[in-house]
Each structure stands twice: as structure tokens, then as C-alpha cells.
Amino acid sequence: YHDQARTYLDSILTVQQPDGLICVNFGATDTGAMLWVMGEHYRLTNDAEWLKRNARKMTAMCNWIIEHRKESMKHIHGKRAMVHGLVRWRPYCDFELAAFDYFCNGYLCMGMKAASQVFAEIGLTDESARLGREAGAFHKDILTSMDAAIISHDGMKMLPLMPDTQFLLKETGYTANGYYGLLASCLLETGIPAF
């Protein structure tokens, strides 16, 4: 159903904000997921004309990610913050406050990597290289943050999905229930930490 998929993707792109963000209801994760899905659509169809027509919109999404990563790159008291390089935004529709979280950042990183890869295939080599470097740096920042965020609770090591507040773990009594379990499985889809 490639024609239907293209229609749906083109429809979603009409709600893209001027700064590149796609966030209708769910959260900033939409931007990363959209980049990834557009890359997958190209891989399934080899429709270079469609991808070239939408490359500017994909670049705008990636630039939104890059700019919002910069906001967390300030050093505190000469030290690198645990959330260095992460995007702080509303991660999903049932959590309406801005937060640093690995779920959203994983999708943003995966989406930028996908854009880099498919841009190379349609001859946008300079943009592909730039986005590849940015995605690689993003991935490294996520892994560094994850290493710093690991906690021990009742003798068990845990990774909070919201590293600076540990909100989802606290909400579930330090179990994998509720949104922690739901979002952890989605994070694994992004390939992070493996990538």
C-alpha cells in the first residue's frame, strides 16, 4: 500500500511547524518517528523523487533537533550535565510537561540517522554527512547520559527513562510497570543503546 502510505505521510507533513517540529498531540517523539518512517518508506519504494521533494522538510526536522540539543549543552560548575545534548520537550501526550527522557531522544536520534542514510542514497552527500555526524554525536551523548543516570535500588541497577528526575521509576515504585515498561520497550526499537 505504498500509494496510501505516501498519502498519509504527505498529509502529516502539512502540520509541520515552520521551525521543523512535528507535534500534533503526541509529543516531540513525532518528529523522530516521522523522519524514521520517511526513511523506511523510501527504502521500501525507492521513490527518490518523493524523497527529494520532502528533503527540505526532513532537513528542517533535523535542524529542530540539532538546535534543541544545544540548549542542554551548557556546563554546570565546569562539569558536563547528565542531560548534556538531550532534547527537553514534552515526550508524549499523557505527560504534558517538558522533560529530558530517553524515549523521545532515542526516536529523535534514530530519525536523524535515518535521514542521513537515505540522503546519501539520493545524492545529498553533504547533508547526509552533516546529519550523520550530528546523529553520531547525539547517540554518544545519549549513551554518556545513560551511563551517568544508572541508579541502584534494592540491590538492582536500573536506568531511569527520565534521567534527571527518575519520574517514571518513582511513579511505578521502581518497577517496570506502567509507562516505564511501555516506553522502555519503545526505546529498544530505536536501537539505543546498541545503535
Side-chain angles (χ1 to χ4, degrees), residues 70-128:
K70 290 178 183 176
E71 293 174 14
S72 67
M73 292 182 174
K74 300 174 183 110
H75 286 76
I76 302 168
H77 306 294
K79 293 184 176 182
R80 178 186 169 109
M82 181 190 316
V83 294
H84 178 93
L86 301 184
V87 172
R88 183 175 186 268
W89 202 260
R90 181 170 55 102
Y92 56 94
C93 59
D94 290 341
F95 192 89
E96 296 185 2
L97 303 174
F100 291 108
D101 75 290
Y102 296 130
F103 162 67
C104 177
N105 279 270
Y107 275 92
L108 294 173
C109 183
M110 175 180 67
M112 191 159 29
K113 180 183 178 194
S116 168
Q117 291 171 337
V118 296
F119 281 5
E121 294 179 25
I122 60 168
L124 300 176
T125 53
D126 290 344
E127 192 63 2
S128 170

Side-chain angles (χ1 to χ4, degrees), residues 156-186:
M156 178 183 262
K157 290 191 178 203
M158 299 179 177
L159 177 67
L161 291 180
M162 294 180 172
D164 57 334
T165 65
Q166 302 173 12
F167 176 77
L168 292 175
L169 275 177
K170 290 177 181 176
E171 182 182 55
T172 63
Y174 294 88
T175 67
N177 292 327
Y179 274 103
Y180 183 92
L182 290 171
L183 300 182
S185 63
C186 293

Side-chain angles (χ1 to χ4, degrees), residues 1-2 7 15 17 31 43 70-71 73 85 124 126 129 148 176 194:
Y1 300 98
H2 299 310
T7 298
V15 300
Q17 296 176 19
T31 300
R43 291 190 186 288
K70 290 178 183 176
E71 293 174 14
M73 292 182 174
L124 300 176
D126 290 344

Side-chain angles (χ1 to χ4, degrees), residues 2-50:
H2 299 310
D3 290 340
Q4 287 177 313
R6 189 169 27 257
T7 298
Y8 292 135
L9 291 172
D10 289 344
S11 173
I12 293 168
L13 287 170
T14 65
V15 300
Q16 184 178 26
Q17 296 176 19
D19 63 358
L21 177 69
I22 292 184
C23 179
V24 179
N25 179 50
F26 192 78
T29 307
D30 291 346
T31 300
M34 185 65 171
L35 285 166
W36 179 61
V37 168
M38 291 175 79
E40 290 299 298
H41 179 70
Y42 168 74
R43 291 190 186 288
L44 292 170
T45 63
N46 290 315
D47 189 347
E49 182 181 319
W50 175 83

Side-chain angles (χ1 to χ4, degrees), residues 80 82 102 139-149:
R80 178 186 169 109
M82 181 190 316
Y102 296 130
H139 182 240
K140 184 177 178 182
D141 286 340
I142 292 171
L143 293 180
T144 300
S145 176
M146 287 178 165
D147 286 342

